[in-house]
């Protein structure tokens, strides 16, 4: 009862007001389960009715078996948990629902940073909850490829490399003036989010210190947030644009969020930059664990979405997936198992990242052959499908995906094949990138990471219409 009273106090604090019984409300907190305990504070003679629950505690929640909006997230988190009264697993209760509501969608909220100067937080004993800048939503899919998803928008992530040595556009946007010009062009072209990176992930890239990486990124973030929104409609949009930080260092992520970033994009999925794979060296393992702890702490503290990518150390190596079998699907199985293991570490346990704040990236161009990259592209929906993987439920089931095929070297390899093949520079792969983007949209990607924003905006606009 103490816990129930606490929940009711939270509801009142957040802003719940009396409303229609069982109708929509601003917030509704219930104790759905309390381990395997069965609790009912009503007298035995009153337990045949569900109309006398006010002020009483009944656990498990008596209406759980008929409410999809309760069972669906539980089915994501604890599908094998057995209801202590009904003696059925959550997954069986979910499957037994007479029909599913197609209007239900998953939501990813993006917090506003820096906090507004007039933002008042009245609860000194509670960590500050940031206001929401915006959110993305996406349809729920099962174990089938979403060939015709409805009411979907594929978001464009525009790539801003503030580096001198990135594989496709190094030394082009690494000054504040050129970076701001690129940011304005990206917003004008239709980008939903700008991804700023200060450390190249290409094989053989030069080492960059934490201080240098921070100094490359943070001034750009601050300049975007300091734009005079009243100067033009475009600058008004720029000031409010989502910003993700492409980094594997928690110190850089923290400094960038405080400056105004809203999202972390980590190609190593919180395990740190180590060229060797798998990790066997004790020092490397310790560094990786420290990186995991630091990144989880920052993501949790600031409540920012995180993009977690599949990788295997040096992007140009470790392309053998034979341990997962042979034939079609072996690379996808490797992504599901390897990235899935990292994601599980990130979302489970005390101090973890909320499951709904995770976007997964299959890592196109990272430790995969040409055919491996094509497999991930052409069957991308299966990566997050609700299927069995090596006898277990797919750990990546239900997550949204980012796909980044833009200008990648495997596209150049394909373009160089055959009698009419030709060698291409990364900036010459716009049409090849367009093919990859269309495939990503068809497979249900929530966001595509691109370099040529205006051209890919046209591609996504038409592809969204084709595949809705």
């Amino acid at each position: 009862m103490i816990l129930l009273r606490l929940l009711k106090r939270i509801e009142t604090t957040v802003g719940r007001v009396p409303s229609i019984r069982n109708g929509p409300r601003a917030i509704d907190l219930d104790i759905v389960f309390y381990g395997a305990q069965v609790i009912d504070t009503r007298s035995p003679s009153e337990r045949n009715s569900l109309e006398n629950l006010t002020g009483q505690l009944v656990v498990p929640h008596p209406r759980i078996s008929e409410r999809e909006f309760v069972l669906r997230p539980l089915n994501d988190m604890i599908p094998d948990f057995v209801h202590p009264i009904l003696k059925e697993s959550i997954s069986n209760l979910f499957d037994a629902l007479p029909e599913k509501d197609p209007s239900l969608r998953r939501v990813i909220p993006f917090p506003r940073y820096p906090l507004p100067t007039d933002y008042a937080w009245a609860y000194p004993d509670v960590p500050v909850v940031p206001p929401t800048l915006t959110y993305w939503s996406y349809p729920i899919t099962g174990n089938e490829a979403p060939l015709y998803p409805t009411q979907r928008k594929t978001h464009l992530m525009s790539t801003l490399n503030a580096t001198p040595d990135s594989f496709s556009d190094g030394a082009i946007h690494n000054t504040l003036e050129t970076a701001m010009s690129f940011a304005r062009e990206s917003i004008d072209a239709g980008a939903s989010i700008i991804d700023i990176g200060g450390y190249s992930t290409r094989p053989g890239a030069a080492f960059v210190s934490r201080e240098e990486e921070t100094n490359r990124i943070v001034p750009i973030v601050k300049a975007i947030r300091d734009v005079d929104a009243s100067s033009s409609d475009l600058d008004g949009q720029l000031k409010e644009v989502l910003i993700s930080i492409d980094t594997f260092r928690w110190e850089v992520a923290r400094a960038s969020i405080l400056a105004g970033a809203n999202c972390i994009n980590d190609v190593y999925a919180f395990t740190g930059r180590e060229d060797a794979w798998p990790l066997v060296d004790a020092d490397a393992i310790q560094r990786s664990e420290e990186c995991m702890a630091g990144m989880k702490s920052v993501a949790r503290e600031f409540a920012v979405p995180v993009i977690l990518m599949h990788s295997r150390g040096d992007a140009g190596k470790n392309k053998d997936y034979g341990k997962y079998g042979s034939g079609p699907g072996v690379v996808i199985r490797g992504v599901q198992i390897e990235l899935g293991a990292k994601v599980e570490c990130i979302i489970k346990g005390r101090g973890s990242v909320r499951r709904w704040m995770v976007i997964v990236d299959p890592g196109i161009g990272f430790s995969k052959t040409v055919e491996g990259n094509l497999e991930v592209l052409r069957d991308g929906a299966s990566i997050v499908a609700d299927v069995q993987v090596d006898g277990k439920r797919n750990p990546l089931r239900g997550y949204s995906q980012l796909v980044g095929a833009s200008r990648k070297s495997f596209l150049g390899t394909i373009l160089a094949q055959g009698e009419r093949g030709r060698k291409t520079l990364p900036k010459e792969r716009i049409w090849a990138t367009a093919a990859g983007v269309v495939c990503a949209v068809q497979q249900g990607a929530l966001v595509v990471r691109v370099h040529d924003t205006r051209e890919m905006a046209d591609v996504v606009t038409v592809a969204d219409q084709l595949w809705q």
Side-chain angles (χ1 to χ4, degrees):
M1 292 300 290
I2 293 174
L3 178 57
L4 179 62
R5 285 194 291 269
L6 174 62
L7 295 182
K8 297 307 174 186
R9 283 178 57 196
I10 294 173
E11 287 183 339
T12 301
T13 300
V14 172
R16 177 169 175 172
V17 295
S19 62
I20 302 172
R21 180 173 173 79
N22 296 327
R25 52 201 77 162
I27 183 172
D28 187 12
L29 298 180
D30 284 310
I31 303 172
V32 180
F33 293 110
Y34 197 80
Q37 292 190 38
V38 176
I39 305 168
D40 194 335
T41 59
R42 299 173 297 173
S43 65
S45 62
E46 297 176 319
R47 294 176 183 176
N48 292 327
S49 172
L50 295 181
E51 302 302 320
N52 56 359
L53 299 178
T54 302
Q56 303 292 335
L57 178 60
V58 179
V59 180
H61 193 285
R63 297 188 186 274
I64 185 175
S65 63
E66 62 191 50
R67 293 183 172 176
E68 181 185 355
F69 67 88
V70 177
L71 284 174
R72 188 174 283 281
L74 289 176
N75 192 47
D76 282 342
M77 297 182 289
I78 51 170
D80 299 324
F81 180 81
V82 176
H83 193 294
I85 295 177
L86 301 178
K87 306 302 181 184
E88 291 284 352
S89 69
I90 294 298
S91 60
N92 286 345
L93 292 174
F94 177 74
D95 291 339
L97 288 169
E99 59 184 71
K100 306 294 193 299
D101 183 354
S103 68
L104 285 178
R105 298 171 68 84
R106 291 188 169 97
V107 174
I108 304 172
F110 291 85
R112 178 184 293 277
Y113 288 109
L115 294 174
T117 55
D118 59 350
Y119 187 61
W121 184 247
Y123 314 101
D125 296 331
V126 179
V128 174
V129 177
T132 299
L133 175 60
T134 189
Y135 66 90
W136 291 350
S137 68
Y138 59 103
I140 296 169
T141 56
N143 58 5
E144 73 284 351
L147 291 178
Y148 301 101
T150 58
Q151 297 180 338
R152 184 185 68 188
K153 174 182 179 180
T154 306
H155 295 275
L156 278 169
M157 172 183 279
S158 190
T159 307
L160 201 172
N161 289 315
T163 57
D165 58 347
S166 290
F167 83 96
S168 68
D169 55 357
I172 295 179
H173 307 127
N174 63 332
T175 68
L176 189 57
E177 181 180 357
T178 56
M180 291 298 290
S181 175
F182 177 81
R184 286 188 172 90
E185 291 171 2
S186 298
I187 299 305
D188 189 51
S192 298
I193 184 169
I194 297 176
D195 188 47
I196 305 175
Y199 196 151
S200 175
T201 55
R202 69 173 178 81
F207 172 81
V208 178
S209 69
R210 288 175 175 80
E211 294 75 16
E212 177 61 23
E213 186 182 2
T214 302
N215 291 337
R216 289 175 177 180
I217 294 173
V218 168
I220 301 174
V221 177
K222 285 184 175 180
I224 291 174
R225 293 298 180 229
D226 289 342
V227 161
D228 181 2
S230 65
S231 61
S232 68
D233 289 342
L234 182 58
D235 277 353
Q237 296 174 53
L238 178 61
K239 188 179 183 68
E240 296 287 288
V241 72
L242 291 174
I243 299 174
S244 65
I245 299 304
D246 184 354
T247 187
F248 58 91
R249 289 167 165 160
W250 67 265
E251 301 95 334
V252 177
R254 183 182 179 85
S256 301
I257 293 168
L258 289 172
N262 320 96
C263 178
I264 298 171
N265 180 16
D266 186 355
V267 300
Y268 302 110
F270 289 12
T271 56
R273 182 172 184 147
E274 300 288 343
D275 288 340
W277 184 89
L279 295 182
V280 293
D281 178 73
D283 290 340
I285 293 173
Q286 182 177 351
R287 288 193 299 269
S288 180
E289 290 174 348
E290 290 173 352
C291 181
M292 173 71 74
M295 291 295 269
K296 283 176 66 173
S297 177
V298 170
R300 173 79 177 214
E301 176 185 357
F302 292 100
V304 293
V306 298
I307 301 166
L308 305 172
M309 196 190 81
H310 174 262
S311 59
R312 291 174 147 194
D314 188 320
K317 301 177 181 178
N318 308 312
K319 300 181 181 182
D320 182 5
Y321 290 77
K323 64 184 291 186
Y324 300 113
S326 59
V330 65
V331 177
I332 285 177
R333 191 153 55 251
V335 172
Q336 290 169 326
I337 293 171
E338 293 172 9
L339 180 57
K342 294 180 180 180
V343 171
E344 291 284 277
C345 287
I346 291 166
I347 67 166
K348 290 185 176 180
R350 186 178 295 274
S352 2
V353 175
R354 310 295 196 214
R355 178 185 175 91
W356 57 85
M357 303 297 273
V358 172
I359 300 170
V360 298
D361 177 347
I364 291 173
F366 285 76
S367 296
K368 296 170 184 69
T369 63
V370 170
E371 179 52 41
N373 286 309
L374 292 175
E375 177 184 310
V376 168
L377 261 178
R378 75 166 67 95
D379 201 17
S382 67
I383 293 172
V384 293
D386 194 353
V387 295
Q388 293 290 304
V389 179
D390 282 3
K392 299 179 181 179
R393 200 176 181 205
N394 178 15
L396 298 183
R397 66 192 179 278
Y399 287 108
S400 60
Q401 285 194 84
L402 177 147
V403 173
S406 181
R407 298 186 178 183
K408 293 287 176 69
S409 61
F410 83 97
L411 297 174
T413 300
I414 294 172
L415 293 175
Q417 294 173 351
E419 293 182 4
R420 298 184 180 180
R422 63 187 182 93
K423 291 185 177 181
T424 55
L425 297 172
K427 65 181 181 180
E428 298 175 304
R429 299 170 190 158
I430 296 177
W431 295 109
T433 294
V437 167
V438 168
C439 187
V441 173
Q442 186 266 341
Q443 286 294 301
L446 176 65
V447 54
V448 289
R449 186 175 185 270
V450 301
H451 297 84
D452 306 289
T453 310
R454 189 169 299 279
E455 292 85 349
M456 294 310 114
D458 287 349
V459 172
V460 165
T461 297
V462 176
D464 270 347
Q465 292 296 313
L466 280 170
W467 302 115
Q468 282 193 24

